[in-house]
Amino acid sequence: MCEALQNKYQLCDEIGRGRFGTIFRCFDHISNEFYACKLIHKHLLTDPTDRACLHNEPKYMTLLSPHPNILQIFDFFETDDILSIVLHLCQPLTLFDRIIDRPLPETQAASIIKQLLEALAHCHRHGIAHRDIKPDNILFDSSDNLKLADFGSAEWFGDGRSMSGVVGTPYYVAPEVLLGREYDEKVDVWSSGVIMYIMLAGIPPFYGESPAEIFEAVARANLRFPSRVFRSVSPAAKDLLRKMICRDASRRLSAEQALSKLSVMCTVGHPWILSGGETTDLT
């Protein structure tokens, strides 16, 4: 354990666990505040790609902080064995926990997707793609504000640099990633569209019994809206889904375009986002 970490923070109970480490609640005696401390065990990082990504999380989170919809980093410490990252303490339940049992009303889904796109627009303006957008990486603070977390797979695409490599999670990964092509930051928009679909329908848009079958369905990208689950979903919401879960990345909306940010391609936001999920006439 890092002595500098122990001198500043008191580690308390375990609140989470992942492939490479453990998350603890910790207490700062100076600020009299609780935080989350993520301990990444280096000996578990046997893959060279994982080792290369080791410092991405604190580096990119420091660059992106503060932002109201991105999990804030406060400190990080490193020894030969462990990388420790001190983060804002959020509620224990993720977006995955909120949507696992039932679909969400459109107004609630619109609020969540708007905050997620705000976070992504901020990332993309700084030349950073998250590359692992999924409900498990979406947290909420004590005021129920969305916080995008886990930047371990993030990548720099600034200065026109393209990205490559298969990263992400089967249900949410964009087809261009699976097909081994170079890709851009719009892979995050695809993943966000999949999350929006699941929030409204309670099922994923592309399904399979195994990761291979899921990847095959994603690569085909045959987006459908079954009437039995989309009967009460507005045309505006389905229109936005088509523009986010678009197989042709050149035609896919950017986060900025969906949010009505000033850009050369789009100067008005998508009506479903602007209306807070209220039914909107697109005619």
Side-chain angles (χ1 to χ4, degrees):
M1 187 68 65
C2 176
E3 184 178 349
L5 172 67
Q6 290 180 309
N7 288 340
K8 188 170 183 181
Y9 300 96
Q10 176 185 343
L11 292 187
C12 304
D13 51 314
E14 179 182 323
I15 57 176
R17 186 176 288 266
R19 279 194 306 155
F20 304 126
T22 310
I23 303 173
F24 293 90
R25 190 190 318 272
C26 68
F27 183 70
D28 182 346
H29 292 287
I30 297 176
S31 67
N32 206 35
E33 296 281 349
F34 281 98
Y35 299 94
C37 182
K38 185 174 184 178
L39 303 185
I40 300 172
H41 303 284
K42 293 183 180 181
H43 71 276
L44 297 176
L45 302 170
T46 55
D47 187 287
T49 302
D50 291 331
R51 284 193 169 274
C53 292
L54 177 64
H55 295 95
N56 281 359
E57 189 161 25
K59 178 176 68 176
Y60 292 144
M61 293 186 77
T62 299
L63 178 62
L64 295 169
S65 291
H67 184 276
N69 297 122
I70 293 176
L71 189 65
Q72 186 170 357
I73 183 172
F74 292 95
D75 253 329
F76 68 94
F77 307 89
E78 186 173 9
T79 66
D80 292 339
D81 303 314
I82 295 177
L83 178 68
S84 307
I85 309 174
V86 179
L87 304 159
H88 183 86
L89 181 63
C90 288
Q91 298 180 36
L93 300 183
T94 67
L95 178 60
F96 178 84
D97 300 306
R98 295 189 178 200
I99 65 176
I100 187 63
D101 293 326
R102 59 182 176 81
L104 301 181
E106 283 196 33
T107 50
Q108 189 175 349
S111 173
I112 290 172
I113 206 68
K114 180 177 185 295
Q115 292 178 80
L116 176 56
L117 288 170
E118 290 280 8
L120 289 178
H122 180 72
C123 293
H124 297 168
R125 284 194 297 271
H126 284 77
I128 297 169
H130 187 283
R131 301 203 303 171
D132 194 18
I133 300 297
K134 59 184 179 181
D136 316 63
N137 290 338
I138 297 173
L139 311 179
F140 298 90
D141 66 13
S142 58
S143 299
D144 220 31
N145 298 309
L146 180 146
K147 300 289 183 180
L148 179 59
D150 199 343
F151 282 77
S153 297
E155 184 60 88
W156 167 257
F157 67 88
D159 303 324
R161 183 186 305 179
S162 61
M163 295 174 285
S164 61
V166 179
V167 295
T169 303
Y171 284 118
Y172 309 97
V173 68
E176 60 266 34
V177 175
L178 295 178
L179 295 172
R181 301 170 182 165
E182 293 186 339
Y183 50 84
D184 62 20
E185 72 278 8
K186 286 186 180 179
V187 296
D188 290 340
V189 177
W190 171 283
S191 303
S192 301
V194 172
I195 289 175
M196 177 179 154
Y197 187 107
I198 294 172
M199 285 195 293
L200 294 174
I203 57 174
F206 311 112
Y207 180 76
E209 295 294 336
S210 67
E213 289 184 8
I214 296 169
F215 287 155
E216 185 178 340
V218 170
R220 288 197 304 267
N222 185 15
L223 183 64
R224 296 179 177 177
F225 300 107
S227 58
R228 63 185 176 83
V229 291
F230 275 90
R231 187 177 296 107
S232 60
V233 175
S234 70
K238 288 183 278 191
D239 179 71
L240 180 55
L241 285 169
R242 290 187 189 96
K243 292 175 178 176
M244 294 176 70
I245 312 176
C246 177
R247 193 176 190 275
D248 183 351
S250 68
R251 295 174 52 227
R252 192 180 304 156
L253 286 180
S254 70
E256 291 276 4
Q257 288 168 338
L259 285 167
S260 184
K261 300 295 183 184
L262 296 177
S263 71
V264 295
M265 295 183 66
C266 183
T267 58
V268 295
H270 193 280
W272 190 76
I273 291 288
L274 297 179
S275 67
E278 297 295 340
T279 301
T280 308
D281 186 357
L282 294 178
T283 59

